[in-house]
Amino acid sequence: MPIILPQNLPAAEALEQENIFVMPETRALSQNIRPLRIVVVNLMPTKIATETQLARLLANTPLQVELTFVHTGSHISKNTPQSHLNAFYTTFESIRRQRFDGMIITGAPVEQILFEQVDYWDELCEIMEFSKTNVWSTLHVCWGAQAGLYYHFGIDKQPLSQKMFGVFPHHVLRSSIPLVRGFDEVFFAPHSRHTGICEQQAASCSALRILAKSEQAGSFLLSTDSGRQIFVTGHPEYDKLTLDGEYRRDLQKGIPIEIPQNYYIDNNPEKGINFCWRSHAHLLYSNWLNYYVYQQTPYDLESNAFFNHSIP
């Protein structure tokens, strides 16, 4: 089934070139199918690239998915044209009375700033509180995972001695959990961050289960028992060239940066990239959509008893 994207969104053309079935909103309205409503809180500076990355993964299932993109109203984006935001994004204020099957909260390049000092922190807290009652399952990614773990469970982030940068092997710890169904016992995923979560606090939190972990990168997949809150500390959605772009950008700016680990063939940027995480990225997102959203959320979101509450 197709993914439903706003008319003329740049991601649509990119995905169609990859032979991914993209359906415009106008055609979707003529079909007697209720698509899964997924809201993406896109905090990344490279919003257009992130739209394509997430849409690619969400489209790789038999389910019809309708995406709504949200940007924070309390922060002015410096890297995405305002015209793009006006055309394809909305704000939390305009959706706060709506209900969604799923939510994705992306990463953001603010991990070295205290949570409370991030200019849109109060708004993000409102969104995360909203997700507890108006969203069936929320997927938090990278800094979004750190923010969610801190907000919901008080788990601190910690500075790293050097940037966690590269593609790292991870071990599945709970193979019976649907989120990792079909995963190899060892799989790879990219990381690009200067902070990590407090592993001791995460391990001792009774509300959380650690599903996959890396000896180098730490806990990678965490979830509540219900699966209504899921946390991914890395960037499985990254394209083949994303880390390469970050590496070369920092080199050009004169910022000290190590070669991303386990990324280039023979650790040589001139030999090409070992793209070894794509299949598990697709599997992670399809498992989330299938087992934690589609098979759990009601057909009529408004009539379900779980959602029978007043919306502020």
Side-chain angles (χ1 to χ4, degrees):
M1 294 295 285
I3 187 164
I4 303 168
L5 296 177
Q7 197 79 26
N8 299 321
L9 184 76
E13 181 179 356
L15 295 179
E16 286 173 348
Q17 291 176 355
E18 297 177 25
N19 201 29
I20 293 175
F21 186 9
V22 177
M23 178 179 288
E25 293 173 306
T26 51
R27 182 179 173 191
L29 290 172
S30 68
Q31 295 191 326
N32 189 26
I33 297 173
R34 185 182 86 75
L36 295 177
R37 299 191 68 216
I38 307 296
V39 57
V40 178
V41 182
N42 193 351
L43 306 175
M44 291 290 282
T46 52
K47 285 181 170 50
I48 296 175
T50 301
E51 293 159 10
T52 304
Q53 292 167 359
L54 292 175
R56 179 185 295 114
L57 296 175
L58 294 171
N60 193 36
T61 76
L63 305 172
Q64 191 177 106
V65 177
E66 178 184 78
L67 292 185
T68 298
F69 292 102
V70 167
H71 72 94
T72 52
S74 52
H75 175 76
I76 299 176
S77 177
K78 299 178 182 177
N79 299 281
T80 303
Q82 188 62 42
S83 59
H84 183 85
L85 298 178
N86 292 340
F88 304 116
Y89 279 72
T90 187
T91 62
F92 173 60
E93 283 302 316
S94 64
I95 66 155
R96 66 183 307 151
R97 297 186 62 84
Q98 299 182 37
R99 289 162 179 151
F100 295 89
D101 300 289
M103 173 183 281
I104 299 173
I105 300 176
T106 73
V110 294
E111 73 265 28
Q112 292 177 291
I113 304 173
L114 294 176
F115 290 120
E116 292 81 2
Q117 293 180 358
V118 174
D119 59 2
Y120 51 81
W121 177 248
D122 289 344
E123 182 179 2
L124 183 58
C125 288
E126 284 191 77
I127 293 172
M128 290 189 288
E129 189 64 26
F130 164 90
S131 74
K132 292 161 63 175
T133 53
N134 289 54
V135 179
W136 199 265
S137 180
T138 300
L139 193 66
H140 309 70
V141 181
C142 199
W143 182 82
Q146 295 182 4
L149 289 168
Y150 178 73
Y151 177 78
H152 292 297
F153 305 109
I155 295 175
D156 295 317
K157 65 176 179 178
Q158 297 179 329
L160 301 175
S161 57
Q162 65 180 40
K163 184 178 182 180
M164 188 67 62
F165 190 44
V167 181
F168 300 95
H170 302 75
H171 296 264
V172 173
L173 303 181
R174 294 172 177 264
S175 59
S176 62
I177 302 299
L179 190 63
V180 293
R181 187 165 291 169
F183 273 50
D184 293 323
E185 292 182 358
V186 178
F187 65 95
F188 289 84
H191 290 259
S192 178
R193 51 186 168 82
H194 295 274
T195 58
I197 64 172
C198 178
E199 294 290 340
Q200 184 177 1
Q201 290 178 342
S204 62
C205 180
S206 60
L208 290 172
R209 302 291 178 266
I210 300 174
L211 309 183
K213 191 170 184 177
S214 166
E215 292 182 5
Q216 295 164 284
S219 296
F220 175 69
L221 286 177
L222 304 94
S223 174
T224 57
D225 279 336
S226 65
R228 295 202 57 244
Q229 294 169 335
I230 296 171
F231 307 91
V232 185
T233 63
H235 278 292
E237 80 282 0
Y238 268 9
D239 290 331
K240 179 178 180 178
L241 296 174
T242 306
L243 292 181
D244 179 71
E246 292 183 9
Y247 172 65
R248 297 183 188 277
R249 175 202 64 199
D250 287 355
L251 283 180
Q252 290 178 356
K253 291 182 177 180
I255 298 174
I257 184 70
E258 298 290 333
I259 291 177
Q261 298 183 52
N262 311 314
Y263 179 59
Y264 296 116
I265 297 172
D266 296 332
N267 287 320
N268 184 343
E270 305 308 317
K271 287 190 174 183
I273 296 162
N274 182 20
F275 194 9
C276 59
W277 66 91
R278 175 169 47 186
S279 61
H280 282 88
H282 281 285
L283 190 54
L284 172 63
Y285 276 79
S286 62
N287 283 349
W288 175 62
L289 279 180
N290 183 22
Y291 299 115
Y292 295 84
V293 182
Y294 172 68
Q295 294 194 28
Q296 300 294 327
T297 191
Y299 184 85
D300 184 355
L301 290 176
E302 302 300 323
S303 67
N304 183 260
F306 180 83
F307 287 128
N308 284 341
H309 59 84
S310 60
I311 305 176

